[in-house]
Amino acid sequence: MIEVVAKTREDRIDLTRYMARDLLGITLDEEQTLPLREYDLSMLLRPFDFPTDPADGIAGVTVKELRLMDLGDAK
C-alpha cells in the first residue's frame, strides 16, 4: 500500500507511480487506476480516548479543531 498526500490529484497519482516504481519495483501503466483510500472519521465526532504510550510523556490529547478536505475534488 502506498499513501501519498499532495495538493492535487494529478500530483498524488504522479508521486504514487514514482514511489511504486522506485521503492517497490512496480511499474504502473498510465491506464491503471489507483484506488483511493477511504477513511471512516465518524468516531471523531464524539469524545474518543486516544491511546498513548507512557514513555512518550503525553498526558492527554484534545482535538480543538478538525478541518477536512475532499482530496478527490482538489485540482
Side-chain angles (χ1 to χ4, degrees):
M1 175 191 313
I2 299 173
E3 186 167 345
V4 176
V5 177
K7 287 190 177 209
T8 67
R9 179 177 174 81
E10 291 79 19
D11 288 345
R12 284 193 310 280
I13 291 170
D14 289 344
L15 288 170
T16 301
R17 289 183 194 285
Y18 300 148
M19 290 177 67
R21 182 192 67 209
D22 298 339
L23 296 177
L24 302 176
I26 300 169
T27 302
L28 300 172
D29 296 331
E30 290 294 322
E31 293 80 33
Q32 285 180 288
T33 58
L34 305 172
L36 294 176
R37 292 275 318 256
E38 292 185 17
Y39 298 94
D40 179 8
L41 302 178
S42 62
M43 64 183 246
L44 298 175
L45 294 172
R46 54 193 170 278
F48 173 82
D49 290 331
F50 286 86
T52 59
D53 188 339
D56 293 334
I58 299 172
V61 176
T62 303
V63 176
K64 298 202 178 243
E65 182 177 342
L66 181 64
R67 293 184 335 165
L68 302 175
M69 178 176 64
D70 183 356
L71 295 177
D73 293 335
K75 301 228 179 207

